[in-house]
Amino acid sequence: MPVTDLPAKPALELLIAAPRGFCAGVDRAIRIVELAIEKHGAPVYVRHEIVHNKFVVDGLKAQGAVFVEELDTVPDGAPVVFSAHGVPKSVPAAAQDRGLAYLDATCPLVSKVHRQAERLVAAGRHIVFIGHAGHPEVIGTFGQVPAGSMTLVETVADAEALVAADPDNVAFLTQTTLSVDDTAAVVAVLLRRFPSIQAPKGEDICYATSNRQAAVKAIAARCDAMLVIGAPNSSNSLRLVEVAVREGTPARLIQRAAELDWAFLDGVAVLGITAGASAPELLVRELVARLGERFDLTEREVETTRETIAFKLPRELEAA
Ligand code: SF4
C-alpha cells in the first residue's frame, strides 16, 4: 500500500497539567542518594523507597543504592539514607547507637510538621493527626512524640467519633500529601466539635500537593479522561486521580506507558495527563510517545502556577 493510503490516525488532544511531577523534596532526596554514592562509593543503603516511584528506585539501584526496609539489614559501617517521607526518632537513634553514618533525606516540609508536633506536645496539647494509616510519613510523624500523645483521624466519620480527654486542649496537624478538599471537610468537623482546637501555623499540606491538585482541577472538566502517572503507594498521586474523578472525569493511575489500557481511551477526544510528585518527566514523555503511535496528537500544557521552590542539601553533601 503506498504510504499516502495508510489510514489516518484518529485525533487526540492532550491537555498536560502543570505543575506536575517532581517536587523540590523529591528532587532533593534523589540528589542526596546520588551524592552519597559519589562521596562514599557504592553501596549506599537507603531505608525504604527514597520516593515512591519504581523507575526512580531502579535508577538509583543501578547506580549502587541498596534499598532496605529496616536498619537491621544495613551492615556495620555502611552509609544509610532515610527516605523523603521521614522516619520516627527511634531510627536515627538506632543508627547512632550502631555508629552508622546516616543522611536524612526527609523533606523539609515533613520535618516542619515533625517540629510542630514536638512543640505542641511540649506545650501539653494532644494532637489530632489527619492522615492515612500505615503511610511512612504518618509512621514517621507519630514517631516524633511519645506514644499516646497523637490520635490519627482519617475521615470525616473519624472526626465525628473522636473522643478527647481534654477537649479544650487539642491541636491538629496533617500529612503533607492529602486531598485539599477532603482535609478541609475533616478540619470543618474538628473546628465545630472542638472550637478551641489549635490549627497548624500555615498549611501542612505541601505546596506541591496542592498545586498538582489545583492543576488537575483546572483541566479535568475539559477532558474526557485523565491519566495520572504515579505509583500505587504514592499518596499524592492517588489524590490526583480522586480529584479528577470528583470533577466527573474518569481517571486512571499508571506507573509507565506500557500499562496503558487502550480501551480506556475509547471515545476520548481530549485526554488530560499529569504526574505525581515522585514521577519524573521522562515518564510523561514516554506516555506521550506511546500515545503518538496510535493517535494524531495535539499537545497543550495548561499551567496554573509556576514553582520555584528548591531545598538546600544537607551541609555534609553541599561541597560533594
Ligand atoms: Fe515534600 Fe511535598 Fe514533595 Fe512530599 S510532596 S516531598 S512534602 S514537597
Side-chain angles (χ1 to χ4, degrees):
M1 182 160 61
V3 174
T4 47
D5 290 344
L6 284 172
K9 291 184 206 170
L12 181 66
E13 185 182 350
L14 302 181
L15 291 186
I16 304 188
R20 64 178 175 279
F22 275 9
C23 60
V26 162
D27 220 34
R28 173 179 180 270
I30 295 169
R31 199 69 199 119
I32 287 174
V33 178
E34 289 172 340
L35 288 173
I37 295 170
E38 234 171 73
K39 183 174 171 184
H40 298 284
V44 162
Y45 287 77
V46 183
R47 186 187 175 278
H48 193 67
E49 286 187 333
I50 185 76
V51 301
H52 286 155
N53 187 277
K54 186 177 177 324
F55 180 84
V56 171
V57 166
D58 287 348
L60 292 172
K61 274 184 191 166
Q63 292 178 52
V66 176
F67 290 85
V68 296
E69 278 312 306
E70 291 303 337
L71 282 188
D72 319 1
T73 35
V74 177
D76 288 341
V80 60
V81 180
F82 304 145
S83 82
H85 314 96
V87 289
K89 275 187 170 169
S90 55
V91 172
Q96 224 152 12
D97 283 351
R98 285 190 50 203
L100 298 175
Y102 67 85
L103 284 158
D104 190 356
T106 302
C107 176
L109 300 182
V110 174
S111 300
K112 190 188 88 178
V113 179
H114 290 179
R115 301 293 77 81
Q116 287 188 83
E118 281 181 325
R119 279 196 294 271
L120 287 167
V121 168
R125 297 244 174 193
H126 184 82
I127 300 170
V128 179
F129 190 78
I130 307 170
H132 298 295
H135 190 279
E137 182 185 329
V138 175
I139 294 168
T141 304
F142 268 70
Q144 303 304 308
V145 292
S149 48
M150 204 185 275
T151 303
L152 183 68
V153 160
E154 292 190 80
T155 61
V156 162
D158 289 349
E160 290 286 7
L162 183 70
V163 178
D166 182 1
D168 291 326
N169 204 19
V170 284
F172 76 87
L173 296 173
T174 85
Q175 192 178 331
T176 57
T177 50
L178 298 182
S179 152
V180 171
D181 294 340
D182 287 350
T183 307
V186 174
V187 168
V189 173
L190 293 176
L191 290 171
R192 170 171 54 72
R193 294 202 53 226
F194 307 101
S196 59
I197 195 166
Q198 186 175 326
K201 285 197 182 71
E203 185 63 76
D204 282 344
I205 296 177
C206 76
Y207 80 96
T209 296
S210 43
N211 286 349
R212 278 150 194 68
Q213 289 176 22
V216 166
K217 263 193 189 175
I219 60 169
R222 284 186 271 160
C223 299
D224 302 311
M226 178 157 302
L227 288 171
V228 177
I229 299 174
N233 57 346
S234 160
S235 174
N236 82 88
S237 304
L238 292 169
R239 305 294 79 82
L240 296 177
V241 174
E242 288 171 3
V243 168
V245 169
R246 209 166 280 170
E247 296 293 307
T249 307
R252 291 248 175 109
L253 182 76
I254 57 169
Q255 302 203 63
R256 296 288 298 261
E259 287 178 14
L260 177 61
D261 171 11
W262 294 107
F264 181 63
L265 301 182
D266 284 350
V268 171
V270 182
L271 177 68
I273 295 179
T274 188
S278 39
E281 181 62 13
L282 203 118
L283 300 186
V284 174
R285 297 324 309 168
E286 181 189 72
L287 174 61
V288 172
R290 178 134 203 252
L291 290 165
E293 291 166 9
R294 295 222 188 169
F295 294 95
D296 183 15
L297 302 177
T298 50
E299 192 182 329
R300 197 148 61 86
E301 181 171 80
V302 182
E303 186 176 65
T304 45
T305 188
R306 188 153 297 180
E307 292 176 345
T308 53
I309 293 181
F311 296 130
K312 277 192 181 156
L313 290 165
R315 208 166 296 144
E316 58 266 52
L317 289 179
E318 267 172 356

